[in-house]
C-alpha cells in the first residue's frame, strides 16, 4: 500500500474544544454533518475552501495559498475578499473553534477522532497493512474493504480549482492501490473465480492500468481459463502499443511466460511452512519408539512445546498433556516418540507405565506408585502402604528433579491424579481412550486419524517404495479402506509385506468388502476388532444400545435431532448418551450438536447390532424412524419455501415427527447442513419397505440440486433410486424418481436425457394416476420443449400442467407453469401476451408471499419485458429476482439472472456492465449447465469485443464453441459466425 496519503491532524496541542458531533467527508462530495444531520457547506467555491483546509492536516493555510488553491494563476480581482466571505460563512455553520484564523490565514482544528472520512480510511489501511504483514489475510481483507467503503463516488466531487483537481487524482490513485492490494489478497486466499467479474469491470474502466490486467490474468488462469488469461495479455500489449507506443512491463511479460509454461507455482498460492524443530533423541526407561514413525508433525510440535514449558526458565507449574482417541489411532506410539525426543530436557529420568485402562482389570495407582518409587531409588522399606502416603512421598522425591512421566492407556482422571508429579521442572504425558476433562490444568489433545498423505507414507515405509510405487492407486484404496487408522494400516501393510506373491491390488480387493473388512484387519496378535471390543465391553447397556443403533445410519455424520429419532429418545437423554460415547472415543464430536463414527468403528458397531440387538426388528425400526424424521422435516422446509405448493400433501405419511421451523433461513440452514446424511438415508432405503418414503424425501429436498451446492451427490442418489424402484416394480415410486432425475438433468442442461426421463415419468405417473407427479412432469416436459425451440408443443404441455395444478389447488405449481408459458409465447412471437401471462404468474406468487419461488415470477416477467425492449423495467424485475435468489442460496438461479441482466445491458449498449454481469454469471454458475455456460461466454465475448478486447472475446467464443459442439446444439453455428467475422 505504498503511496498512502497522510491523513489530516485530528487534534493539536492546545485545542480547547473537541466537537465530536461534527463529521466531514472528502472521499466523495464535500459534506458535513452534525449529529447525523447535514450541515450546509455553501457554494462550490466555499466547499473548495473547506476541502483545502480539511486536507491541510490541521496546518494553517495562508490567504495566498487558498487563493491559489481555488483559482490558480487567474484569480478574480476580489479573490481575497471572497476567501474571507467563504471563511466567515463556514465559521457560522460549524462549531465554535473549528475554523480558526491564524497569522493571516485559516485552519480547521480540534476535530474528533474519525471525524474525517479520509483519516478513518488511512487508519483502516494502516491496520490492514499490519494484519497482512503478520499473515492474517482474512482480517486484512475485511479491514481494507471497510477502508474502501469510505469512498462515496468521485473524490471531491463537484469541487472546482486546481488544488481540488490535484487531490482528486492523488486520492483516486490511492484508492486504486488499496483496491489492487485487496484483490491481490483475494487471490492469495483462493478467491480467484469471484474476483474475475470485478477485475473485468475495473480493466474496462482503467484499460491502461497494467497491475489490474496482471491480476485479471492470474485470476483467469487459476479459474482454469488459460486461453482467456493469455488473451488479456494480447489485448493489453496491443492497447499499450496503439495508445502509448510501449510494451507491457516486465512483470506482465513474465506472467505471460509462466502461464505459457503452466508454471505449477502459479496455480495456487502457498504459504511457507516452518521447519520443524528437531529434538535430540536419547533412550531411557521408555519403551522403544517404532523405527517407521510417520507424520503427526503438528502434534509432535504441540506436545513438545508443552513439555518444553515445564523446563524453561519461566516454568512455575508441572506440565501435563493428555492424549485421547479411539483404539488404534496411535496414542501410545505418538507419546513414546515425543517422550524420546524430549528426553534431554529431563536428565533426571523418564518413567513409564501401562495403566491397562481399556482392560477388565486396570492397574491400581498405589501399585504403580510403589514401582515408580523403587525406580527413583527409594528402598522397599521406606515405601509406605497407603495410596495417600505413597503419593506424598512420590511428589517429595520428585521435588527439585526434572523427570518425565508417561502414563499410558489410562482408565480415567481418578486413576491418573495420584501419579502426577507436583512441582515445576517435571512433566507428564497421559494417553487414554477417554478425554481427561476432569484433569485440572491438563493440556488436552484429541488425536484423529492420519491424513491420506501420512497414511500412504506409513504404508509405504512398511511395504516398500517399489511395490507401492507400482500400484499407487491401489495403495490409496487400501489406506482409505483402513479409514487412515494407524493400527489398521500397520496390520494391512504387515500382511502384505509377509506375502510376497500378493500385489497391493489383491489386498485392496480383500478390504473392499465391508462385511469382511474387520476380519481381514488382523495379523499375529494385532487385530482392529479386538481393539474396539475392549472399549465396547466397558459400555453401560444404554450406551451400548446407542452405539449399535447409531452405527446403522449411513452418512458422514448425524445431528443430535436425527440421533434422537434413531434411538427413539428425548433430545436431552440422547445428548447425554452421545457425549458419554465421545468421552470413550468410540464416537467423535464433529461439531456442536453433530456426531460421527470412524469408518471402521461404524463397521464394528453394525456387527455388534447384528449380533446383540434384540429384538432383531429394532434395527429396521431405528432406520424407519430416522427416515421419517428426515422426510417430515424436509417436507416442512419445502412448505416454508413454497407456500401454496400441494406437493407435500401427496407425500408418503410418516409415523415419527420432524423438526418444525418458523424462519425460512433456519429451515434452509437445516437442509443444506443435513444434505449428505439426508441423501445417504435416501440411498439406504433402496431395496427395503422404506423405498417410497426414500423417493419422496429426495423429491422434498429438491432445493439441493437447484442451488448447485449438492448437485452431483443428489444426481447419484436420484439415479440409484430410479434403479431401485424399477427393480422393485413400484411404478408410482419409479415415476416420482424419474421426475426428480428430470429436474436434475434440466438444471445441468442435459436436455436429451431429460426428455427421455420425462417421457418415462409421464407414462408411469399416468399409469398409476399419480396427479401430484403428472402436473410437475408436464411442466418439465414443457421446459424441455423450450430448449428444443418447440414452442407450440411447450404451450400445450404448460396448459396441461396449469389445468392439473388448478384441479388440485396447487397455486405455486400454477404460478410456475404460467411463468413458463410466457416463455413459450415469446418463442412463438406473442410478446404482449407473454408479458401479460408472466404478470399473471407473478401475481399468484405475490399472493403467496415473499418466498424463493417469487424470484422465478420476477425472472419470467423480466425475460418478457426484455424481449419487449422495456429495458429499465426488465432490470428492475431481475434485481428483485437476484435479491431473493441470493437470500435463499439459489446460486445457479442467481447466476442465470445475472446472465439475463447482462443481455439487457448489452442490448442497451452498456458493454462494460454487460461484461461484469456475465462474469458474475460464470463465477456463480447457471441453471442449464455447460450449455448455459456456452451462452454466457458467447455474450461475454460480444461485450468484450465492443470494449476493444478482441483477443479475449475470441477466447470466450472458442470455449463456447467447444461446449456447444459437445452438446450438438444449433448455437454452435452462431459462434462460428462470430469467430469468422472477428478481426
Amino acid at each position: 500500500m505504498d503511496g498512502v496519503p497522510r491523513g489530516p491532524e485530528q487534534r493539536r496541542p492546545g485545542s480547547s474544544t473537541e466537537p465530536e458531533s461534527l463529521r466531514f467527508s472528502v472521499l466523495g462530495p464535500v459534506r458535513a454533518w452534525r449529529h447525523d444531520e447535514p450541515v450546509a457547506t455553501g457554494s462550490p467555491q466555499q466547499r473548495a475552501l473547506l476541502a483545502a483546509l480539511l486536507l491541510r492536516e490541521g496546518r494553517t493555510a495562508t490567504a495566498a495559498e487558498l487563493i491559489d488553491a481555488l483559482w490558480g494563476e487567474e484569480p478574480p480581482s476580489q479573490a481575497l475578499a471572497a476567501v474571507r466571505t467563504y471563511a466567515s460563512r463556514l465559521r457560522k455553520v460549524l462549531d465554535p473553534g473549528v475554523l480558526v484564523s491564524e497569522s493571516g490565514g485559516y485552519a480547521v482544528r480540534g476535530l474528533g477522532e474519525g471525524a474525517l472520512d479520509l483519516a478513518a480510511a488511512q487508519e483502516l489501511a494502516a491496520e490492514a497493512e499490519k494484519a497482512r504483514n503478520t499473515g492474517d489475510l482474512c482480517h486484512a481483507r475485511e479491514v481494507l474493504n471497510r477502508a474502501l467503503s469510505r469512498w462515496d463516488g468521485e473524490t471531491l466531487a463537484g469541487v472546482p480549482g486546481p488544488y481540488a483537481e490535484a487531490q482528486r487524482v492523488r486520492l483516486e490513485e490511492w484508492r486504486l492501490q488499496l483496491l489492487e492490494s485487496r484483490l491481490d489478497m483475494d487471490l492469495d486466499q483462493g478467491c480467484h473465480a469471484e474476483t474475475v467479474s470485478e477485475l473485468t469491470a475495473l480493466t474496462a474502466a482503467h484499460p491502461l492500468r497494467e497491475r489490474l490486467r496482471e491480476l485479471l490474468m492470474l485470476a483467469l488462469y487459476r479459474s482454469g481459463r488459460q486461453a482467456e488469461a493469455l488473451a488479456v495479455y494480447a489485448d493489453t500489449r496491443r492497447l499499450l502499443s496503439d495508445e502509448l507506443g510501449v510494451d507491457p512491463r516486465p512483470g506482465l511479460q513474465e506472467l505471460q511466460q509462466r502461464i505459457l509454461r503452466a508454471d505449477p507455482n502459479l496455480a495456487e498460492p502457498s504459504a511457507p511452512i516452518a521447519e520443524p524443530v528437531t529434538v535430540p533423541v536419547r533412550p531411557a526407561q521408555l519403551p522403544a519408539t517404532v523405527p517407521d514413525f510417520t507424520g503427526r508433525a503438528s502434534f509432535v510440535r504441540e506436545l513438545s512445546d508443552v513439555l518444553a514449558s515445564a523446563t524453561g526458565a519461566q516454568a512455575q507449574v508441572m506440565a501435563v498433556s493428555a492424549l485421547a482417541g479411539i483404539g488404534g489411532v496411535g496414542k501410545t506410539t505418538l507419546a513414546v516418540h515425543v517422550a524420546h525426543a524430549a528426553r534431554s530436557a529431563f536428565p533426571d529420568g523418564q518413567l513409564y507405565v501401562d495403566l491397562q485402562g481399556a482392560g477388565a482389570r486396570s492397574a491400581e495407582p498405589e501399585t504403580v506408585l510403589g514401582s515408580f518409587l523403587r525406580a527413583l531409588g527409594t528402598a522397599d522399606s521406606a515405601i509406605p502402604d497407603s495410596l495417600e502416603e505413597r503419593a506424598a512421598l512420590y511428589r517429595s522425591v520428585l521435588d527439585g528433579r526434572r523427570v518425565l512421566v508417561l502414563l499410558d492407556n489410562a482408565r480415567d482422571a481418578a486413576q491418573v491424579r495420584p501419579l502426577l508429579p507436583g512441582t515445576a521442572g517435571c512433566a507428564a504425558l497421559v494417553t487414554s481412550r477417554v478425554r481427561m476433562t476432569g484433569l485440572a490444568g491438563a493440556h488436552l489433545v484429541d488425536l484423529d486419524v492420519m491424513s491420506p498423505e501420512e497414511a500412504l507414507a506409513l504404508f509405504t515405509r512398511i511395504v516398500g517404495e517399489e511395490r507401492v510405487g507400482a500400484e499407487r492407486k491401489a495403495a490409496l484404496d487400501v489406506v482409505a479402506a483402513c479409514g487412515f487408522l494407524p493400527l489398521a494400516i500397520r496390520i494391512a501393510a504387515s500382511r502384505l509385506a509377509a506375502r510376497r506373491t500378493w500385489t497391493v491390488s489383491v489386498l485392496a480387493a480383500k478390504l473392499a468388502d465391508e462385511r469382511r473388512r474387520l476380519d481381514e484387519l488382523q495379523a499375529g496378535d494385532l487385530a482392529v476388532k479386538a481393539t474396539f471390543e475392549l472399549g465396547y465391553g466397558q459400555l453401560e447397556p444404554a450406551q451400548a444400545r446407542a452405539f449399535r443403533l447409531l452405527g446403522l445410519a449411513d452418512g458422514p455424520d448425524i445431528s443430535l435431532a436425527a440421533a434422537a429419532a434413531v434411538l427413539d429418545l428425548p433430545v436431552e437423554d440422547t445428548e447425554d448418551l452421545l457425549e458419554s460415547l465421545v468421552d470413550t472415543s468410540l464416537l467423535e464430536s464433529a461439531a456442536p450438536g453433530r456426531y460421527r463414527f470412524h469408518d471402521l468403528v461404524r463397521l464394528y458397531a453394525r456387527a455388534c447390532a447384528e449380533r446383540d440387538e434384540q429384538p432383531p426388528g429394532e434395527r429396521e425400526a431405528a432406520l424407519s424412524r430416522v427416515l421419517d424424521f428426515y422426510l417430515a422435516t424436509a417436507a416442512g422446509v419445502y412448505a416454508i419455501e413454497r407456500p401454496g405448493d400441494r406437493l407435500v400433501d401427496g407425500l408418503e405419511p410418516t409415523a415419527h415427527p420432524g423438526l418444525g421451523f418458523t424462519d425460512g433461513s433456519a429451515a434452509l440452514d437445516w437442509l443444506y447442513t443435513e444434505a449428505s446424511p439426508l441423501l445417504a438415508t435416501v440411498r439406504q432405503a433402496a431395496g427395503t419397505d422404506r423405498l417410497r418414503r426414500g423417493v419422496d424425501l429426495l423429491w422434498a429436498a429438491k432445493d439441493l440440486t437447484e442451488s448447485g451446492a449438492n448437485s452431483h451427490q443428489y444426481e447419484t442418489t436420484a439415479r440409484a433410486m430410479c434403479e431401485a424402484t424399477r427393480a422393485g416394480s413400484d411404478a408410482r415410486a419409479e415415476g416420482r424418481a424419474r421426475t426428480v432425475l428430470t429436474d436434475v438433468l434440466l438444471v445441468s442442461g442435459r436436455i436429451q436425457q431429460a426428455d427421455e426421463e420425462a417421457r418415462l415419468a409421464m407414462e408411469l405417473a399416468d399409469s398409476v394416476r399419480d396427479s401430484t407427479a403428472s402436473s410437475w412432469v408436464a411442466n418439465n416436459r414443457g421446459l424441455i420443449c423450450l430448449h428444443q425451440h418447440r414452442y407450440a408443443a411447450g404451450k400445450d404441455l404448460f396448459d396441461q400442467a396449469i389445468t392439473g395444478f388448478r384441479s388440485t389447488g396447487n397455486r405455486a405449481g400454477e404460478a410456475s407453469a404460467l411463468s413458463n408459458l410466457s416463455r413459450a409465447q415469446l418463442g412463438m412471437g406473442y410478446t404482449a401476451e407473454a408479458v401479460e401471462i408472466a404478470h399473471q404468474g407473478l401475481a399468484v406468487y405475490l399472493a403467496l408471499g415473499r418466498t424463493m419461488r417469487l424470484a422465478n415470477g420476477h425472472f419470467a416477467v423480466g425475460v418478457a419485458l426484455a424481449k419487449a425492449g422495456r429495458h429499465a423495467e426488465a432490470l428492475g424485475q431481475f434485481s428483485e429476482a437476484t435479491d431473493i435468489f441470493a437470500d435463499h442460496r439459489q446460486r445457479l438461479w442467481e447466476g442465470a439472472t445475472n446472465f439475463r441482466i447482462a443481455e439487457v445491458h448489452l442490448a442497451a449498449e452498456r458493454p462494460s456492465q454487460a461484461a461484469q454481469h456475465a462474469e458474475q454469471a460464470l463465477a456463480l454458475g447457471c441453471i442449464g449447465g455447460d450449455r448455459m455456460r456456452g451462452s454466457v461466454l458467447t455474450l461475454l465475448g460480444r461485450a468484450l469485443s465492443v470494449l476493444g478486447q478482441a483477443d479475449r472475446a475470441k477466447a470466450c467464443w472458442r470455449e463456447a464453441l467447444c461446449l456447444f459442439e459437445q452438446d450438438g446444439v444449433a448455437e454452435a453455428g452462431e459462434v462460428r459466425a462470430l469467430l469468422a467475422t472477428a478481426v
Side-chain angles (χ1 to χ4, degrees), residues 867-932:
K867 186 73 171 179
R870 295 158 65 177
H871 295 152
E873 295 173 74
L875 288 175
Q877 294 292 331
F878 288 140
S879 177
E880 292 283 350
T882 302
D883 290 344
I884 298 172
F885 282 138
D887 288 346
H888 292 265
R889 305 170 218 180
Q890 292 293 309
R891 178 174 58 83
L892 298 183
W893 273 110
E894 189 182 352
T897 311
N898 270 284
F899 167 67
R900 293 295 186 176
I901 293 172
E903 282 187 321
V904 174
H905 279 305
L906 191 59
E909 300 181 356
R910 294 188 288 267
S912 180
Q913 292 95 319
Q916 183 176 2
H917 283 282
E919 285 288 4
Q920 289 177 10
L922 288 175
L924 291 163
C926 292
I927 293 285
D930 284 346
R931 185 173 183 172
M932 190 63 175

Side-chain angles (χ1 to χ4, degrees), residues 591-677:
R594 302 199 70 82
Y595 301 87
R596 68 184 175 210
F597 280 107
H598 180 272
D599 290 346
L600 295 179
V601 177
R602 184 197 302 277
L603 293 179
Y604 176 71
R606 289 183 176 178
C608 291
E610 292 179 5
R611 181 188 68 194
D612 301 338
E613 195 61 43
Q614 297 298 329
E618 177 58 11
R619 299 199 299 272
E620 174 60 29
L623 292 173
S624 181
R625 288 192 297 268
V626 74
L627 175 57
D628 276 359
F629 164 78
Y630 279 125
L631 177 55
T633 309
V637 174
Y638 188 99
I640 290 175
E641 286 293 286
R642 297 170 173 80
D645 192 330
R646 301 296 296 276
L647 181 144
V648 293
D649 297 338
L651 300 178
E652 286 288 298
T654 58
H656 196 281
L659 298 176
F661 300 100
T662 56
D663 173 59
S665 179
L668 285 176
D669 284 341
W670 178 88
L671 181 64
Y672 292 123
T673 300
E674 293 293 329
S676 291

Side-chain angles (χ1 to χ4, degrees), residues 15 64 214 225 311 327 339 431 452 459 544 571 600 621 623 752 760 777 881 937 961:
S15 296
E214 184 178 346
R225 298 160 68 178
T311 59
T431 75
F459 185 76
V571 170
L600 295 179
L623 292 173
Q752 183 60 40
L760 279 173
V777 176
L937 285 165
L961 180 60

Side-chain angles (χ1 to χ4, degrees), residues 366-367 369-370 373 383-394:
E366 53 263 49
T367 304
L369 283 170
L373 286 168
I383 299 175
D385 293 330
S386 72
L387 172 62
E388 292 75 14
E389 289 177 314
R390 288 188 177 190
L393 178 59
Y394 170 66

